[in-house]
Amino acid sequence: MKTIVSVLAVVVVFSLASCRGSGGPMTRAGRGVDHAFYKTGEGISKVGRKIESKF
């Protein structure tokens, strides 16, 4: 269990450190999450429109 937590911690640290853009690592990570949710919402909306147009 400790090994899994250690590996996850290393992955998180490296992913936060490798974010690009202005601001600190947490700000950049937050922007990345916001962008991912936005793209997911766009995809759901697009699928909804396609389903709606078929009926």
Side-chain angles (χ1 to χ4, degrees):
M1 184 68 176
K2 289 182 182 180
T3 306
I4 295 171
V5 172
S6 299
V7 170
L8 288 175
V10 169
V11 169
V12 167
V13 168
F14 279 119
S15 66
L16 289 177
S18 67
C19 293
R20 297 182 183 194
S22 61
M26 294 305 287
T27 302
R28 294 188 302 247
R31 285 186 194 137
V33 170
D34 287 343
H35 182 72
F37 276 110
Y38 177 76
K39 288 295 186 180
T40 302
E42 278 185 340
I44 291 170
S45 178
K46 185 185 288 187
V47 169
R49 284 192 300 271
K50 286 183 178 181
I51 291 172
E52 212 170 59
S53 70
K54 292 197 183 237
F55 295 107

mmCIF file of all heavy atoms in Angstrom:
data_model
loop_
_atom_site.group_PDB
_atom_site.id
_atom_site.type_symbol
_atom_site.label_atom_id
_atom_site.label_comp_id
_atom_site.label_asym_id
_atom_site.label_seq_id
_atom_site.Cartn_x
_atom_site.Cartn_y
_atom_site.Cartn_z
ATOM 1 N N MET A 1 0.830 -1.193 0.000
ATOM 2 C CA MET A 1 0.000 0.000 0.000
ATOM 3 C C MET A 1 0.871 1.252 0.000
ATOM 4 O O MET A 1 0.569 2.208 -0.701
ATOM 5 C CB MET A 1 -0.918 -0.044 1.223
ATOM 6 C CG MET A 1 -1.883 1.079 1.292
ATOM 7 S SD MET A 1 -3.084 0.885 -0.048
ATOM 8 C CE MET A 1 -4.139 2.216 0.296
ATOM 9 N N LYS A 2 1.945 1.245 0.773
ATOM 10 C CA LYS A 2 2.830 2.406 0.827
ATOM 11 C C LYS A 2 3.509 2.638 -0.516
ATOM 12 O O LYS A 2 3.735 3.776 -0.907
ATOM 13 C CB LYS A 2 3.885 2.217 1.908
ATOM 14 C CG LYS A 2 3.338 2.302 3.307
ATOM 15 C CD LYS A 2 4.433 2.148 4.328
ATOM 16 C CE LYS A 2 3.887 2.185 5.724
ATOM 17 N NZ LYS A 2 4.931 2.033 6.739
ATOM 18 N N THR A 3 3.787 1.557 -1.220
ATOM 19 C CA THR A 3 4.430 1.685 -2.524
ATOM 20 C C THR A 3 3.500 2.377 -3.516
ATOM 21 O O THR A 3 3.929 3.259 -4.268
ATOM 22 C CB THR A 3 4.821 0.293 -3.070
ATOM 23 O OG1 THR A 3 5.606 -0.374 -2.095
ATOM 24 C CG2 THR A 3 5.583 0.411 -4.354
ATOM 25 N N ILE A 4 2.245 2.003 -3.510
ATOM 26 C CA ILE A 4 1.271 2.605 -4.425
ATOM 27 C C ILE A 4 1.116 4.093 -4.127
ATOM 28 O O ILE A 4 1.106 4.921 -5.035
ATOM 29 C CB ILE A 4 -0.086 1.883 -4.332
ATOM 30 C CG1 ILE A 4 0.058 0.446 -4.820
ATOM 31 C CG2 ILE A 4 -1.154 2.617 -5.123
ATOM 32 C CD1 ILE A 4 -1.156 -0.415 -4.570
ATOM 33 N N VAL A 5 1.018 4.434 -2.863
ATOM 34 C CA VAL A 5 0.878 5.835 -2.471
ATOM 35 C C VAL A 5 2.124 6.620 -2.867
ATOM 36 O O VAL A 5 2.028 7.741 -3.375
ATOM 37 C CB VAL A 5 0.605 5.949 -0.955
ATOM 38 C CG1 VAL A 5 0.644 7.393 -0.498
ATOM 39 C CG2 VAL A 5 -0.721 5.319 -0.609
ATOM 40 N N SER A 6 3.293 6.029 -2.690
ATOM 41 C CA SER A 6 4.536 6.702 -3.070
ATOM 42 C C SER A 6 4.604 6.946 -4.566
ATOM 43 O O SER A 6 4.985 8.025 -5.014
ATOM 44 C CB SER A 6 5.743 5.859 -2.643
ATOM 45 O OG SER A 6 5.756 5.691 -1.255
ATOM 46 N N VAL A 7 4.231 5.961 -5.344
ATOM 47 C CA VAL A 7 4.248 6.106 -6.801
ATOM 48 C C VAL A 7 3.258 7.180 -7.238
ATOM 49 O O VAL A 7 3.571 8.025 -8.077
ATOM 50 C CB VAL A 7 3.950 4.750 -7.497
ATOM 51 C CG1 VAL A 7 3.722 4.937 -8.976
ATOM 52 C CG2 VAL A 7 5.073 3.765 -7.240
ATOM 53 N N LEU A 8 2.062 7.166 -6.669
ATOM 54 C CA LEU A 8 1.070 8.186 -7.008
ATOM 55 C C LEU A 8 1.555 9.586 -6.628
ATOM 56 O O LEU A 8 1.334 10.542 -7.369
ATOM 57 C CB LEU A 8 -0.260 7.887 -6.322
ATOM 58 C CG LEU A 8 -1.040 6.698 -6.882
ATOM 59 C CD1 LEU A 8 -2.278 6.446 -6.042
ATOM 60 C CD2 LEU A 8 -1.420 6.929 -8.326
ATOM 61 N N ALA A 9 2.211 9.707 -5.487
ATOM 62 C CA ALA A 9 2.735 11.004 -5.055
ATOM 63 C C ALA A 9 3.793 11.514 -6.028
ATOM 64 O O ALA A 9 3.796 12.693 -6.390
ATOM 65 C CB ALA A 9 3.312 10.903 -3.654
ATOM 66 N N VAL A 10 4.659 10.639 -6.485
ATOM 67 C CA VAL A 10 5.697 11.033 -7.446
ATOM 68 C C VAL A 10 5.060 11.471 -8.766
ATOM 69 O O VAL A 10 5.453 12.478 -9.355
ATOM 70 C CB VAL A 10 6.695 9.872 -7.672
ATOM 71 C CG1 VAL A 10 7.606 10.150 -8.842
ATOM 72 C CG2 VAL A 10 7.505 9.631 -6.414
ATOM 73 N N VAL A 11 4.067 10.736 -9.214
ATOM 74 C CA VAL A 11 3.385 11.093 -10.464
ATOM 75 C C VAL A 11 2.725 12.459 -10.336
ATOM 76 O O VAL A 11 2.810 13.288 -11.244
ATOM 77 C CB VAL A 11 2.352 10.006 -10.854
ATOM 78 C CG1 VAL A 11 1.458 10.480 -11.978
ATOM 79 C CG2 VAL A 11 3.061 8.721 -11.227
ATOM 80 N N VAL A 12 2.065 12.711 -9.223
ATOM 81 C CA VAL A 12 1.398 13.998 -9.014
ATOM 82 C C VAL A 12 2.417 15.134 -8.983
ATOM 83 O O VAL A 12 2.214 16.168 -9.619
ATOM 84 C CB VAL A 12 0.557 13.975 -7.714
ATOM 85 C CG1 VAL A 12 0.112 15.369 -7.319
ATOM 86 C CG2 VAL A 12 -0.635 13.058 -7.884
ATOM 87 N N VAL A 13 3.506 14.943 -8.293
ATOM 88 C CA VAL A 13 4.527 15.997 -8.196
ATOM 89 C C VAL A 13 5.096 16.301 -9.578
ATOM 90 O O VAL A 13 5.235 17.462 -9.969
ATOM 91 C CB VAL A 13 5.641 15.591 -7.213
ATOM 92 C CG1 VAL A 13 6.837 16.518 -7.329
ATOM 93 C CG2 VAL A 13 5.107 15.595 -5.792
ATOM 94 N N PHE A 14 5.421 15.274 -10.334
ATOM 95 C CA PHE A 14 5.983 15.508 -11.663
ATOM 96 C C PHE A 14 4.961 16.119 -12.608
ATOM 97 O O PHE A 14 5.289 16.955 -13.440
ATOM 98 C CB PHE A 14 6.541 14.217 -12.262
ATOM 99 C CG PHE A 14 7.915 13.874 -11.753
ATOM 100 C CD1 PHE A 14 8.128 12.697 -11.071
ATOM 101 C CD2 PHE A 14 8.979 14.732 -11.945
ATOM 102 C CE1 PHE A 14 9.381 12.377 -10.589
ATOM 103 C CE2 PHE A 14 10.240 14.430 -11.474
ATOM 104 C CZ PHE A 14 10.452 13.245 -10.795
ATOM 105 N N SER A 15 3.708 15.716 -12.509
ATOM 106 C CA SER A 15 2.695 16.290 -13.397
ATOM 107 C C SER A 15 2.450 17.752 -13.059
ATOM 108 O O SER A 15 2.234 18.572 -13.953
ATOM 109 C CB SER A 15 1.396 15.489 -13.334
ATOM 110 O OG SER A 15 0.814 15.597 -12.065
ATOM 111 N N LEU A 16 2.471 18.113 -11.790
ATOM 112 C CA LEU A 16 2.289 19.517 -11.412
ATOM 113 C C LEU A 16 3.501 20.353 -11.808
ATOM 114 O O LEU A 16 3.364 21.498 -12.225
ATOM 115 C CB LEU A 16 2.043 19.644 -9.907
ATOM 116 C CG LEU A 16 0.696 19.133 -9.413
ATOM 117 C CD1 LEU A 16 0.638 19.259 -7.899
ATOM 118 C CD2 LEU A 16 -0.440 19.879 -10.055
ATOM 119 N N ALA A 17 4.676 19.778 -11.708
ATOM 120 C CA ALA A 17 5.889 20.512 -12.048
ATOM 121 C C ALA A 17 6.019 20.707 -13.559
ATOM 122 O O ALA A 17 6.653 21.655 -14.010
ATOM 123 C CB ALA A 17 7.114 19.777 -11.505
ATOM 124 N N SER A 18 5.432 19.827 -14.336
ATOM 125 C CA SER A 18 5.585 19.913 -15.787
ATOM 126 C C SER A 18 4.508 20.763 -16.446
ATOM 127 O O SER A 18 4.525 20.923 -17.661
ATOM 128 C CB SER A 18 5.564 18.516 -16.392
ATOM 129 O OG SER A 18 4.301 17.928 -16.233
ATOM 130 N N CYS A 19 3.554 21.298 -15.674
ATOM 131 C CA CYS A 19 2.519 22.155 -16.252
ATOM 132 C C CYS A 19 3.162 23.410 -16.806
ATOM 133 O O CYS A 19 4.097 23.949 -16.228
ATOM 134 C CB CYS A 19 1.482 22.555 -15.193
ATOM 135 S SG CYS A 19 0.512 21.181 -14.598
ATOM 136 N N ARG A 20 2.641 23.898 -17.926
ATOM 137 C CA ARG A 20 3.191 25.100 -18.544
ATOM 138 C C ARG A 20 2.217 26.253 -18.389
ATOM 139 O O ARG A 20 1.034 26.053 -18.243
ATOM 140 C CB ARG A 20 3.452 24.847 -20.012
ATOM 141 C CG ARG A 20 4.486 23.782 -20.201
ATOM 142 C CD ARG A 20 4.799 23.550 -21.625
ATOM 143 N NE ARG A 20 5.755 22.435 -21.663
ATOM 144 C CZ ARG A 20 6.451 22.126 -22.691
ATOM 145 N NH1 ARG A 20 6.319 22.788 -23.793
ATOM 146 N NH2 ARG A 20 7.298 21.122 -22.631
ATOM 147 N N GLY A 21 2.745 27.456 -18.467
ATOM 148 C CA GLY A 21 1.913 28.639 -18.361
ATOM 149 C C GLY A 21 2.299 29.468 -17.157
ATOM 150 O O GLY A 21 3.201 29.125 -16.399
ATOM 151 N N SER A 22 1.601 30.584 -16.984
ATOM 152 C CA SER A 22 1.918 31.458 -15.865
ATOM 153 C C SER A 22 1.257 30.963 -14.593
ATOM 154 O O SER A 22 0.316 30.191 -14.636
ATOM 155 C CB SER A 22 1.437 32.881 -16.176
ATOM 156 O OG SER A 22 0.042 32.872 -16.350
ATOM 157 N N GLY A 23 1.750 31.402 -13.474
ATOM 158 C CA GLY A 23 1.199 30.996 -12.183
ATOM 159 C C GLY A 23 1.966 29.829 -11.604
ATOM 160 O O GLY A 23 2.863 29.269 -12.226
ATOM 161 N N GLY A 24 1.591 29.461 -10.405
ATOM 162 C CA GLY A 24 2.231 28.343 -9.737
ATOM 163 C C GLY A 24 1.699 27.013 -10.241
ATOM 164 O O GLY A 24 0.778 26.955 -11.053
ATOM 165 N N PRO A 25 2.287 25.946 -9.754
ATOM 166 C CA PRO A 25 1.867 24.619 -10.212
ATOM 167 C C PRO A 25 0.401 24.315 -9.931
ATOM 168 O O PRO A 25 -0.275 23.711 -10.764
ATOM 169 C CB PRO A 25 2.764 23.650 -9.454
ATOM 170 C CG PRO A 25 3.769 24.440 -8.748
ATOM 171 C CD PRO A 25 3.393 25.870 -8.826
ATOM 172 N N MET A 26 -0.113 24.759 -8.805
ATOM 173 C CA MET A 26 -1.512 24.481 -8.484
ATOM 174 C C MET A 26 -2.446 25.298 -9.382
ATOM 175 O O MET A 26 -3.495 24.807 -9.794
ATOM 176 C CB MET A 26 -1.800 24.786 -7.008
ATOM 177 C CG MET A 26 -1.069 23.866 -6.054
ATOM 178 S SD MET A 26 -1.375 22.117 -6.372
ATOM 179 C CE MET A 26 -3.023 21.981 -5.768
ATOM 180 N N THR A 27 -2.073 26.516 -9.705
ATOM 181 C CA THR A 27 -2.873 27.338 -10.608
ATOM 182 C C THR A 27 -2.928 26.699 -11.984
ATOM 183 O O THR A 27 -3.992 26.595 -12.601
ATOM 184 C CB THR A 27 -2.277 28.757 -10.726
ATOM 185 O OG1 THR A 27 -2.221 29.330 -9.431
ATOM 186 C CG2 THR A 27 -3.109 29.635 -11.638
ATOM 187 N N ARG A 28 -1.777 26.247 -12.465
ATOM 188 C CA ARG A 28 -1.725 25.615 -13.784
ATOM 189 C C ARG A 28 -2.488 24.304 -13.782
ATOM 190 O O ARG A 28 -3.185 23.984 -14.749
ATOM 191 C CB ARG A 28 -0.269 25.412 -14.192
ATOM 192 C CG ARG A 28 0.436 26.742 -14.411
ATOM 193 C CD ARG A 28 1.802 26.551 -14.996
ATOM 194 N NE ARG A 28 2.649 25.729 -14.163
ATOM 195 C CZ ARG A 28 3.730 26.152 -13.522
ATOM 196 N NH1 ARG A 28 4.097 27.401 -13.621
ATOM 197 N NH2 ARG A 28 4.443 25.324 -12.800
ATOM 198 N N ALA A 29 -2.391 23.543 -12.714
ATOM 199 C CA ALA A 29 -3.142 22.287 -12.624
ATOM 200 C C ALA A 29 -4.644 22.568 -12.602
ATOM 201 O O ALA A 29 -5.425 21.862 -13.242
ATOM 202 C CB ALA A 29 -2.727 21.515 -11.385
ATOM 203 N N GLY A 30 -5.045 23.607 -11.893
ATOM 204 C CA GLY A 30 -6.455 23.994 -11.850
ATOM 205 C C GLY A 30 -6.975 24.386 -13.217
ATOM 206 O O GLY A 30 -8.077 24.015 -13.612
ATOM 207 N N ARG A 31 -6.155 25.131 -13.963
ATOM 208 C CA ARG A 31 -6.555 25.500 -15.327
ATOM 209 C C ARG A 31 -6.689 24.266 -16.201
ATOM 210 O O ARG A 31 -7.591 24.180 -17.032
ATOM 211 C CB ARG A 31 -5.527 26.446 -15.939
ATOM 212 C CG ARG A 31 -5.599 27.839 -15.393
ATOM 213 C CD ARG A 31 -4.650 28.766 -16.129
ATOM 214 N NE ARG A 31 -4.487 29.996 -15.388
ATOM 215 C CZ ARG A 31 -3.342 30.608 -15.200
ATOM 216 N NH1 ARG A 31 -2.233 30.126 -15.727
ATOM 217 N NH2 ARG A 31 -3.291 31.713 -14.509
ATOM 218 N N GLY A 32 -5.788 23.304 -16.010
ATOM 219 C CA GLY A 32 -5.867 22.060 -16.774
ATOM 220 C C GLY A 32 -7.140 21.295 -16.474
ATOM 221 O O GLY A 32 -7.794 20.767 -17.376
ATOM 222 N N VAL A 33 -7.517 21.249 -15.207
ATOM 223 C CA VAL A 33 -8.753 20.563 -14.812
ATOM 224 C C VAL A 33 -9.957 21.300 -15.376
ATOM 225 O O VAL A 33 -10.887 20.677 -15.904
ATOM 226 C CB VAL A 33 -8.839 20.441 -13.271
ATOM 227 C CG1 VAL A 33 -10.211 19.965 -12.832
ATOM 228 C CG2 VAL A 33 -7.755 19.510 -12.753
ATOM 229 N N ASP A 34 -9.946 22.632 -15.299
ATOM 230 C CA ASP A 34 -11.047 23.418 -15.863
ATOM 231 C C ASP A 34 -11.196 23.155 -17.359
ATOM 232 O O ASP A 34 -12.306 22.982 -17.859
ATOM 233 C CB ASP A 34 -10.822 24.917 -15.640
ATOM 234 C CG ASP A 34 -11.029 25.335 -14.206
ATOM 235 O OD1 ASP A 34 -11.641 24.560 -13.441
ATOM 236 O OD2 ASP A 34 -10.576 26.441 -13.843
ATOM 237 N N HIS A 35 -10.077 23.120 -18.056
ATOM 238 C CA HIS A 35 -10.103 22.868 -19.502
ATOM 239 C C HIS A 35 -10.648 21.471 -19.797
ATOM 240 O O HIS A 35 -11.449 21.295 -20.715
ATOM 241 C CB HIS A 35 -8.693 23.024 -20.080
ATOM 242 C CG HIS A 35 -8.622 22.829 -21.549
ATOM 243 N ND1 HIS A 35 -9.110 23.741 -22.443
ATOM 244 C CD2 HIS A 35 -8.129 21.816 -22.284
ATOM 245 C CE1 HIS A 35 -8.918 23.299 -23.668
ATOM 246 N NE2 HIS A 35 -8.325 22.130 -23.605
ATOM 247 N N ALA A 36 -10.232 20.493 -19.000
ATOM 248 C CA ALA A 36 -10.713 19.120 -19.205
ATOM 249 C C ALA A 36 -12.221 19.033 -18.988
ATOM 250 O O ALA A 36 -12.927 18.393 -19.767
ATOM 251 C CB ALA A 36 -9.980 18.164 -18.265
ATOM 252 N N PHE A 37 -12.735 19.678 -17.948
ATOM 253 C CA PHE A 37 -14.179 19.674 -17.697
ATOM 254 C C PHE A 37 -14.927 20.395 -18.812
ATOM 255 O O PHE A 37 -15.999 19.971 -19.229
ATOM 256 C CB PHE A 37 -14.515 20.315 -16.346
ATOM 257 C CG PHE A 37 -14.403 19.365 -15.199
ATOM 258 C CD1 PHE A 37 -13.389 19.496 -14.269
ATOM 259 C CD2 PHE A 37 -15.305 18.331 -15.045
ATOM 260 C CE1 PHE A 37 -13.279 18.613 -13.208
ATOM 261 C CE2 PHE A 37 -15.214 17.450 -13.987
ATOM 262 C CZ PHE A 37 -14.185 17.585 -13.072
ATOM 263 N N TYR A 38 -14.345 21.487 -19.328
ATOM 264 C CA TYR A 38 -14.972 22.224 -20.419
ATOM 265 C C TYR A 38 -15.077 21.338 -21.659
ATOM 266 O O TYR A 38 -16.127 21.264 -22.298
ATOM 267 C CB TYR A 38 -14.167 23.486 -20.722
ATOM 268 C CG TYR A 38 -14.707 24.276 -21.884
ATOM 269 C CD1 TYR A 38 -15.844 25.057 -21.749
ATOM 270 C CD2 TYR A 38 -14.078 24.240 -23.122
ATOM 271 C CE1 TYR A 38 -16.350 25.784 -22.811
ATOM 272 C CE2 TYR A 38 -14.570 24.961 -24.195
ATOM 273 C CZ TYR A 38 -15.700 25.729 -24.034
ATOM 274 O OH TYR A 38 -16.197 26.446 -25.093
ATOM 275 N N LYS A 39 -13.985 20.647 -22.001
ATOM 276 C CA LYS A 39 -13.991 19.770 -23.169
ATOM 277 C C LYS A 39 -14.958 18.607 -22.973
ATOM 278 O O LYS A 39 -15.635 18.194 -23.910
ATOM 279 C CB LYS A 39 -12.584 19.235 -23.453
ATOM 280 C CG LYS A 39 -11.659 20.269 -24.008
ATOM 281 C CD LYS A 39 -12.145 20.703 -25.367
ATOM 282 C CE LYS A 39 -11.197 21.622 -26.052
ATOM 283 N NZ LYS A 39 -11.656 22.049 -27.358
ATOM 284 N N THR A 40 -15.042 18.073 -21.763
ATOM 285 C CA THR A 40 -15.985 16.998 -21.483
ATOM 286 C C THR A 40 -17.418 17.494 -21.661
ATOM 287 O O THR A 40 -18.251 16.814 -22.257
ATOM 288 C CB THR A 40 -15.786 16.465 -20.052
ATOM 289 O OG1 THR A 40 -14.446 16.005 -19.915
ATOM 290 C CG2 THR A 40 -16.736 15.338 -19.736
ATOM 291 N N GLY A 41 -17.709 18.683 -21.167
ATOM 292 C CA GLY A 41 -19.035 19.277 -21.324
ATOM 293 C C GLY A 41 -19.385 19.497 -22.782
ATOM 294 O O GLY A 41 -20.528 19.262 -23.205
ATOM 295 N N GLU A 42 -18.404 19.953 -23.569
ATOM 296 C CA GLU A 42 -18.637 20.128 -25.007
ATOM 297 C C GLU A 42 -18.993 18.798 -25.663
ATOM 298 O O GLU A 42 -19.893 18.722 -26.485
ATOM 299 C CB GLU A 42 -17.386 20.685 -25.694
ATOM 300 C CG GLU A 42 -17.218 22.159 -25.598
ATOM 301 C CD GLU A 42 -16.017 22.632 -26.407
ATOM 302 O OE1 GLU A 42 -15.119 21.829 -26.735
ATOM 303 O OE2 GLU A 42 -15.985 23.825 -26.718
ATOM 304 N N GLY A 43 -18.267 17.747 -25.292
ATOM 305 C CA GLY A 43 -18.535 16.429 -25.861
ATOM 306 C C GLY A 43 -19.914 15.910 -25.497
ATOM 307 O O GLY A 43 -20.637 15.372 -26.349
ATOM 308 N N ILE A 44 -20.306 16.092 -24.251
ATOM 309 C CA ILE A 44 -21.635 15.650 -23.811
ATOM 310 C C ILE A 44 -22.715 16.441 -24.544
ATOM 311 O O ILE A 44 -23.715 15.882 -24.982
ATOM 312 C CB ILE A 44 -21.772 15.800 -22.280
ATOM 313 C CG1 ILE A 44 -20.866 14.792 -21.574
ATOM 314 C CG2 ILE A 44 -23.217 15.633 -21.833
ATOM 315 C CD1 ILE A 44 -20.735 15.015 -20.093
ATOM 316 N N SER A 45 -22.494 17.731 -24.699
ATOM 317 C CA SER A 45 -23.452 18.572 -25.409
ATOM 318 C C SER A 45 -23.584 18.133 -26.866
ATOM 319 O O SER A 45 -24.692 18.064 -27.410
ATOM 320 C CB SER A 45 -22.998 20.026 -25.335
ATOM 321 O OG SER A 45 -23.860 20.854 -26.039
ATOM 322 N N LYS A 46 -22.457 17.824 -27.491
ATOM 323 C CA LYS A 46 -22.478 17.397 -28.895
ATOM 324 C C LYS A 46 -23.237 16.081 -29.050
ATOM 325 O O LYS A 46 -24.049 15.927 -29.955
ATOM 326 C CB LYS A 46 -21.041 17.229 -29.401
ATOM 327 C CG LYS A 46 -20.950 16.916 -30.884
ATOM 328 C CD LYS A 46 -19.522 16.635 -31.322
ATOM 329 C CE LYS A 46 -18.707 17.889 -31.334
ATOM 330 N NZ LYS A 46 -17.354 17.663 -31.908
ATOM 331 N N VAL A 47 -22.996 15.140 -28.151
ATOM 332 C CA VAL A 47 -23.707 13.863 -28.197
ATOM 333 C C VAL A 47 -25.202 14.087 -27.970
ATOM 334 O O VAL A 47 -26.040 13.483 -28.647
ATOM 335 C CB VAL A 47 -23.132 12.878 -27.155
ATOM 336 C CG1 VAL A 47 -24.017 11.666 -26.997
ATOM 337 C CG2 VAL A 47 -21.722 12.457 -27.540
ATOM 338 N N GLY A 48 -25.539 14.960 -27.042
ATOM 339 C CA GLY A 48 -26.948 15.270 -26.783
ATOM 340 C C GLY A 48 -27.646 15.840 -27.994
ATOM 341 O O GLY A 48 -28.785 15.481 -28.299
ATOM 342 N N ARG A 49 -26.955 16.744 -28.715
ATOM 343 C CA ARG A 49 -27.546 17.319 -29.930
ATOM 344 C C ARG A 49 -27.734 16.251 -31.001
ATOM 345 O O ARG A 49 -28.742 16.246 -31.715
ATOM 346 C CB ARG A 49 -26.670 18.451 -30.454
ATOM 347 C CG ARG A 49 -26.805 19.736 -29.663
ATOM 348 C CD ARG A 49 -26.164 20.908 -30.360
ATOM 349 N NE ARG A 49 -24.731 20.742 -30.591
ATOM 350 C CZ ARG A 49 -23.769 21.096 -29.742
ATOM 351 N NH1 ARG A 49 -24.091 21.647 -28.599
ATOM 352 N NH2 ARG A 49 -22.511 20.918 -30.047
ATOM 353 N N LYS A 50 -26.780 15.340 -31.120
ATOM 354 C CA LYS A 50 -26.920 14.259 -32.120
ATOM 355 C C LYS A 50 -28.079 13.337 -31.780
ATOM 356 O O LYS A 50 -28.837 12.926 -32.670
ATOM 357 C CB LYS A 50 -25.621 13.465 -32.219
ATOM 358 C CG LYS A 50 -24.521 14.202 -32.938
ATOM 359 C CD LYS A 50 -23.285 13.352 -33.076
ATOM 360 C CE LYS A 50 -22.214 14.106 -33.836
ATOM 361 N NZ LYS A 50 -20.999 13.327 -34.020
ATOM 362 N N ILE A 51 -28.224 13.018 -30.506
ATOM 363 C CA ILE A 51 -29.349 12.147 -30.090
ATOM 364 C C ILE A 51 -30.663 12.869 -30.332
ATOM 365 O O ILE A 51 -31.622 12.291 -30.826
ATOM 366 C CB ILE A 51 -29.205 11.750 -28.608
ATOM 367 C CG1 ILE A 51 -28.023 10.798 -28.433
ATOM 368 C CG2 ILE A 51 -30.488 11.118 -28.078
ATOM 369 C CD1 ILE A 51 -27.673 10.506 -26.990
ATOM 370 N N GLU A 52 -30.708 14.152 -29.999
ATOM 371 C CA GLU A 52 -31.915 14.944 -30.158
ATOM 372 C C GLU A 52 -32.331 15.039 -31.631
ATOM 373 O O GLU A 52 -33.503 15.008 -31.967
ATOM 374 C CB GLU A 52 -31.685 16.341 -29.600
ATOM 375 C CG GLU A 52 -32.886 16.985 -29.013
ATOM 376 C CD GLU A 52 -32.481 18.256 -28.282
ATOM 377 O OE1 GLU A 52 -31.905 19.156 -28.913
ATOM 378 O OE2 GLU A 52 -32.754 18.324 -27.075
ATOM 379 N N SER A 53 -31.358 15.159 -32.520
ATOM 380 C CA SER A 53 -31.672 15.309 -33.941
ATOM 381 C C SER A 53 -32.193 14.010 -34.566
ATOM 382 O O SER A 53 -32.845 14.047 -35.594
ATOM 383 C CB SER A 53 -30.451 15.798 -34.705
ATOM 384 O OG SER A 53 -29.462 14.786 -34.763
ATOM 385 N N LYS A 54 -31.923 12.882 -33.938
ATOM 386 C CA LYS A 54 -32.385 11.610 -34.473
ATOM 387 C C LYS A 54 -33.840 11.336 -34.132
ATOM 388 O O LYS A 54 -34.482 10.497 -34.749
ATOM 389 C CB LYS A 54 -31.518 10.464 -33.964
ATOM 390 C CG LYS A 54 -30.119 10.520 -34.532
ATOM 391 C CD LYS A 54 -29.419 9.220 -34.382
ATOM 392 C CE LYS A 54 -28.028 9.385 -34.901
ATOM 393 N NZ LYS A 54 -27.685 8.477 -35.931
ATOM 394 N N PHE A 55 -34.376 12.009 -33.122
ATOM 395 C CA PHE A 55 -35.756 11.755 -32.700
ATOM 396 C C PHE A 55 -36.652 12.863 -33.073
ATOM 397 O O PHE A 55 -36.708 13.895 -33.130
ATOM 398 C CB PHE A 55 -35.831 11.480 -31.197
ATOM 399 C CG PHE A 55 -35.125 10.234 -30.798
ATOM 400 C CD1 PHE A 55 -33.921 10.257 -30.127
ATOM 401 C CD2 PHE A 55 -35.674 8.989 -31.109
ATOM 402 C CE1 PHE A 55 -33.272 9.107 -29.751
ATOM 403 C CE2 PHE A 55 -35.023 7.814 -30.731
ATOM 404 C CZ PHE A 55 -33.832 7.872 -30.058
#
